[in-house]
């Protein structure tokens, strides 16, 4: 049987009885899914364009709307192809980094020359100058660069293997590459200017690579990809369960990330016109699960109390060992984790935000697939993690989606009108995190939603003199009804359901409760809070007033809510460009106090309180 | 076609037109050869027991005696099988280490605890003790062994991958393996006592492995193999030429040594009942060519002036990278070389002989396949290499052979009688180095050989009143005749030819001339020489008086000629057991002054003078 995936046009010959999701995985086609094929999340919808499929499964009966059923939508995880098929995979625009997602390094950050490339003229050996090739290279280096005069430089074995070939070149001009006292490569001629490094930020959802021109000290290119592990679930817990099933799964997860890195590398080669062999240094950040999987370490212990990771400290590995196709001798530096659910991405946020150095009481929140919080006061830092994020990335939200084309990203309700701003100005197909927060804040301000999070009934709305235009948008069903944000001609309206609002309440309640417990731990009163720093793409797009309105964090003046962009990525860049920052990161990871919310006695009570929408 | 090799019984199916030598190589059967298949050395004799072969080639007509031709001997490199064959490969007993070849470490040598294995009880993680596995292991280590309190310990990636599996064990008792601040492995339970290291000495002819029990600080087993590169030539120059022909050849040479190490490892597993995974450290010495090939580096530059090697300094590589099947994270330390033809084996001799520390003027000679010389005076050391060795290992000697069963190792001529001592008391089949030197010394003392190295004629012998028994042993042919050492019933007498004596003159002349030039360099007069240290197996078996008689080195009292056994191997062991000695080796390699005899203005003259046999 042949399966053709549209719009990519990828074809796959199938001999076994695999589900369409598994087939897509083998064919290298990414289909979104949060439940790792259990048939419960309903995210892996595909449309059958040609070919026949059997009856709908129970899971599909529940997950698909009538319209979807008519149009031939199925859940890829539920069905096995029975004939040749042509299927349409709905677009996942994950990884489209919008302009605002820039990597902003702190003003006081200083780039060090970590990788040194030096062009050298090597004196030929003679009976009077009978030194080894390596020693003549070192002598030339020391003559040219006095800073190496007293330093020990070791030659990597694979460089030694290469030297006889390189020194064959007529003029004996070579460029030596040195990192941390190890000569890791040499190239014929003068290639000093071609010196690159990459900082990777492995998000649960998106993997971002930042290519640095180490010679000029400038960022050269940024590229992103949907994390290919997504087919095994959109959240870390699904991926941990999948990984723990067999050692092969762990290996698979590891290889998926390496090949994602290599994809990004290919894009850099094309766009920035670089040679992958001239990437000499790599840094990596990610949450603790991503860090474990990146190294091929089973993260099972992160899914059960006491959530102890296998390792926290920074790890250095040769690129070759991880099959990352940069220079094989490039060092890959994975930044340290703080705890089981507070990873090196949060250490990177700490680095990029300069949170510890700020005067007063300051808070940093990184809402990605999880929500991690840092609180600093007088040089003391506490950290915690809340299972809050997925809602703001569209997971568990009925028509939730990532910040991609067709996502509602802004909602304004005024004078009975609902105004929407949609990414790429397309017809809305769903709602992303910033739109979700806006919608809820606006619904609260317009009286459509009460402080307990209940959508008002039409009758109550009329009593409260709410505009008929808005009342028309209210609808009822046996799941608690909802509010119509956009009416599509095909009748598939974009709505915010009562259930969606409950999800947001759970998420924001968890974050707020976490913050309260941290403030209590540090003895900070709510009015003492000086600033709230928002890290991550989410922070860039969120409307501060809306976030304040729904109570995502304690009240501060809107001007003290500061977005710092992809701070995790920025921290990874800082570690790429400075060993001092690397040492600082190690210190941060060690001294940050971790609070495990799950076992905190006050958490449950604070959580219940924080779910309300107080003015 | 099927080729059966006797006595091993190995069978090989052949589809291509390969020479018998190439076939043997593929079948893993070692056939000796010095000329790398050029048909010039005549060493690769095999006997066809069954099957037909074509006409003798010109090379075979020259190389084989009439008796050999009758008995069906052929040169394996000259012929290609035309039918099924059963062939007999004459025994190469290379690698049979006799008892005397012991590894003797200097009296003042102190073993360090380089690899540390510590049994630990790991406290389970809890919500109150929420540390990572790695941090809990470190904490247990620091509690048990205070010396680690302030030390940084890094976990190797592959160990991190293993930890979740190891800590599953109920009792959480593990043994951690640490080397140089890197935790390289962990094992369930208490395995402190199983801690091994291997020192390898890669000789051109023989590879010796010495297994050390690092826990008890005792040598556990010694094993040796013929260097499997021998099929590509018995001397380094042949092997360099073969390697330089293609990158694959270099790789092949490298793999041959690794698989030889692995063979030795298998023997250790069986004999010493160890697990190869519990070998955590490896040191290696060898001449500069062997060192290059061991790392897969093309040694081409060593075969042409100015003989500059690719590298000299010590190199550290993970065992895994070289496919040596000890613990994959074991560090393999290759000791530093001094120059293109003075390798790490000579640095090891310097270490084991304590030459530099000795009072006065002292000389060390290592005669293996090459002859390297060290001369020390007042803390200054000079080194040189002479192309002298092969003669004493049997190469270029008509019936020369290595010190193996059937080799004449002692010769006494007294009162007209020739008394022989043969290894393993077998009927003589050839003569090895010590026998050769004895024979010449005795022939000189008995007037059969004159100081110019000419074997006396029967007439002249009669005039000089030499015993008729001895005169009977003189024979003539068109190659200068010779002296019969042993009369075999099959008529294939064991003889010493005039040509053999010329070979010895060339060899001993080169060594003596080298010594003279070094003494001149250091301003030492012959009578100032305090001792001559003989390193290598050869030194153990040589009769001091005979060596002095033929003028292998300047005159000293026989009691000042000291054999120190396999000093190269001993040095490798010292580096295995002590980082201090490793640092010392690095210093030795740097400060030793190398004299290139080939380009020395006085060498030719000294060489001509030194060929005489002066009393």
């Amino acid at each position: 049987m042949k399966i053709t995936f549209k719009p990519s046009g990828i074809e796959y010959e199938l001999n076994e009885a695999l589900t369409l999701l598994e087939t897509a995985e083998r064919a290298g086609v990414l289909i979104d899914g949060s439940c790792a094929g259990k048939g419960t999340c309903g995210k892996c919808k595909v449309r059958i364009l040609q070919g026949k499929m059997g009856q709908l499964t129970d899971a599909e009966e529940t997950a698909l709307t009538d319209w979807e059923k008519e149009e031939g939508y199925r859940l890829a995880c539920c069905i096995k192809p029975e004939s040749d098929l042509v299927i349409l995979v709905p677009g996942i625009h994950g990884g489209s980094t919008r302009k605002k997602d820039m990597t902003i390094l702190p003003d006081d950050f200083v780039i060090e020359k970590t990788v040194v490339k030096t062009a050298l003229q090597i004196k030929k050996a003679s009976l009077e100058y009978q030194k080894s090739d390596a020693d003549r290279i070192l002598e030339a280096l020391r003559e040219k660069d006095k800073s190496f005069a007293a330093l020990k430089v070791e030659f990597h074995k694979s460089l030694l293997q290469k030297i006889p070939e390189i020194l064959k070149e007529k003029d004996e001009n070579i460029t030596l590459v040195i990192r941390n006292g190890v000569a890791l490569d040499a190239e014929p001629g003068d290639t000093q200017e071609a010196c690159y490094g990459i900082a990777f930020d492995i998000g649960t959802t998106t993997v971002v690579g930042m290519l640095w021109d180490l010679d000029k000290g400038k960022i050269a290119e940024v590229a992103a990809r949907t994390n290919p592990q997504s087919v095994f679930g959109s959240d870390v817990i699904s991926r941990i369960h999948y990984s723990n099933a067999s050692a092969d799964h762990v290996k698979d997860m590891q290889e998926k990330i390496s090949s994602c890195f290599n994809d990004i590398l290919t894009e850099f080669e094309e766009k920035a016109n670089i040679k992958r062999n001239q990437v000499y240094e790599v840094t990596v950040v990610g949450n603790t699960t991503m860090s474990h999987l990146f190294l091929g370490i089973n993260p099972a212990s992160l899914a059960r109390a006491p959530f102890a990771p296998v390792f926290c400290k920074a790890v250095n590995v040769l690129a070759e060992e991880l099959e990352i196709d940069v220079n094989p001798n490039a060092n890959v530096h994975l930044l340290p984790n703080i705890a089981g659910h507070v990873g090196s991405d949060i250490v990177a946020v700490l680095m990029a935000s300069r949170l510890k150095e700020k005067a007063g009481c300051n808070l940093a929140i990184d809402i990605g697939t999880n929500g991690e919080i840092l609180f600093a006061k007088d040089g003391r830092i506490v950290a915690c993690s809340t299972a809050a994020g997925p809602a703001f990335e569209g997971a568990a939200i009925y028509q939730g989606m990532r910040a991609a084309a067709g996502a509602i990203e802004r909602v304004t309700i005024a004078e009975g009108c609902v105004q929407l701003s949609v990414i790429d100005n397309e017809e809305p197909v769903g709602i992303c995190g910033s739109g979700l927060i806006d919608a809820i804040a606006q619904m609260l301000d317009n009286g459509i939603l009460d402080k307990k999070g209940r959508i008002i009934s039409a009758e109550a709305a009329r009593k409260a003199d709410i505009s008929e235009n808005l009342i028309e948008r209210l609808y009822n069903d046996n799941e608690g009804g909802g509010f119509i944000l956009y009416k599509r001609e095909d009748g598939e309206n974009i709505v915010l359901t009562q259930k969606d609002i409950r999800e947001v309440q759970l998420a924001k309640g968890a974050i707020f409760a976490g913050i309260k417990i941290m403030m209590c731990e540090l003895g900070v009163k709510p009015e003492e809070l000086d600033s709230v720093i928002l890290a991550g793409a989410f922070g860039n797009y969120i409307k501060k007033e809306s976030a304040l309105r729904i109570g995502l964090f304690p009240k501060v003046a809107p001007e003290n809510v500061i977005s710092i962009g992809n701070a995790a990525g920025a921290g990874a860049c800082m570690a790429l460009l400075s060993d001092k920052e690397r040492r600082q990161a190690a210190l941060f990871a060690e001294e940050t106090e971790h609070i495990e919310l799950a076992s905190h006695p006050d958490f449950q009570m604070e959580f219940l309180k924080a779910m309300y929408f107080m003015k």
Side-chain angles (χ1 to χ4, degrees), chain A residues 241-543:
Chain A
H241 285 321
Y242 174 79
S243 307
N244 194 34
S246 94
D248 281 350
H249 287 193
V250 175
K251 199 159 169 279
D252 189 18
M253 290 296 231
Q254 193 256 304
E255 287 168 354
K256 279 215 151 27
I257 288 294
S258 289
S259 76
C260 179
F261 280 19
N262 292 335
D263 273 359
I264 289 176
L265 203 55
T266 305
E267 185 174 330
F268 288 156
E269 278 199 310
E270 286 162 9
K271 286 197 181 162
N273 195 25
I274 62 149
K275 288 189 190 126
R276 53 179 71 203
N277 220 44
Q278 291 179 327
V279 175
Y280 306 108
E281 185 83 7
V282 172
T283 51
V284 178
V285 300
N287 63 49
T288 311
T289 303
M290 293 303 114
S291 300
H292 278 58
L293 291 176
F294 171 66
L295 295 180
I297 299 170
N298 187 343
S301 63
L302 301 176
R304 55 174 187 252
F307 316 106
V310 174
F311 71 104
C312 273
K313 295 216 168 53
V315 177
N316 292 295
V317 196
L318 278 188
E320 200 175 21
E321 272 193 77
L322 293 169
E323 288 173 31
I324 301 171
D325 297 337
V326 294
N327 190 295
N329 292 338
N331 184 49
V332 177
H333 179 84
L334 175 67
L335 274 78
N337 301 307
I338 293 170
H341 291 287
V342 185
S344 54
D345 49 353
I346 301 310
V347 172
V349 169
L350 205 40
M351 295 162 77
S353 65
R354 299 290 196 222
L355 188 72
K356 192 186 171 189
E357 294 81 357
K358 276 190 196 302
C361 300
N362 300 283
L363 174 66
I365 312 179
D366 187 2
I367 301 176
T369 308
N370 281 303
E372 291 98 351
I373 311 162
L374 292 163
F375 208 119
K377 186 196 172 189
D378 302 333
R380 199 179 146 199
I381 316 164
V382 291
C384 77
S385 161
T386 64
F392 301 119
E393 285 196 329
I397 302 298
Y398 176 53
Q399 282 164 325
M401 65 183 288
R402 293 170 200 161
I408 296 170
E409 60 168 349
R410 282 271 170 278
V411 178
T412 318
I413 304 176
E415 296 171 29
C417 287
V418 176
Q419 278 194 329
L420 302 178
S421 163
V422 182
I423 297 178
D424 291 354
N425 290 318
E426 291 189 7
E427 182 168 31
V429 292
I431 186 163
C432 69
S434 59
L436 189 62
I437 291 176
D438 265 12
I440 292 173
Q442 293 288 304
M443 285 166 76
L444 285 167
D445 280 346
N446 285 275
I448 307 165
L449 198 61
D450 69 14
K451 67 172 184 185
K452 287 191 177 167
R454 275 184 315 221
I455 298 177
I456 202 167
S457 68
E459 298 134 64
R462 282 193 187 100
K463 270 185 202 161
D465 264 350
I466 286 168
S467 153
E468 199 59 33
N469 280 340
L470 297 181
I471 294 172
E472 261 177 33
R473 289 174 180 261
L474 295 172
Y475 73 92
N476 262 315
D477 61 12
N478 54 10
E479 283 184 337
F483 180 75
I484 298 166
L485 289 169
Y486 180 79
K487 292 184 186 178
R488 284 173 65 116
E489 286 191 11
D490 59 14
E492 266 304 297
N493 296 333
I494 307 300
V495 301
L496 206 61
T497 69
Q498 179 64 58
K499 227 169 128 259
D500 291 343
I501 291 166
R502 294 291 176 222
E503 289 291 337
V504 172
Q505 284 181 286
L506 291 172
K508 79 109 187 176
I511 292 175
F512 197 94
I515 297 171
K516 281 290 287 289
I517 285 170
M518 294 168 94
M519 290 172 91
C520 181
E521 180 72 30
L522 289 171
V524 175
K525 287 174 203 145
E527 62 271 22
E528 286 181 290
L529 184 61
D530 289 298
S531 73
V532 175
I533 294 168
L534 297 179
F538 181 67
N540 277 333
Y541 296 101
I542 205 174
K543 202 172 160 193

Side-chain angles (χ1 to χ4, degrees), chain A residues 28-40:
Chain A
V29 174
L30 205 64
I31 296 182
D32 205 6
S34 330
C35 67
K38 294 195 208 92
T40 54

Side-chain angles (χ1 to χ4, degrees), chain A residues 7 17 24 43 110 138 219 236 238 266-267 275 348 369 394 406 563 571 596:
Chain A
K43 292 270 167 190
V110 181
L138 267 191
I219 196 160
V236 295
S238 307
T266 305
E267 185 174 330
K275 288 189 190 126
T369 308
S563 281
E596 183 58 56

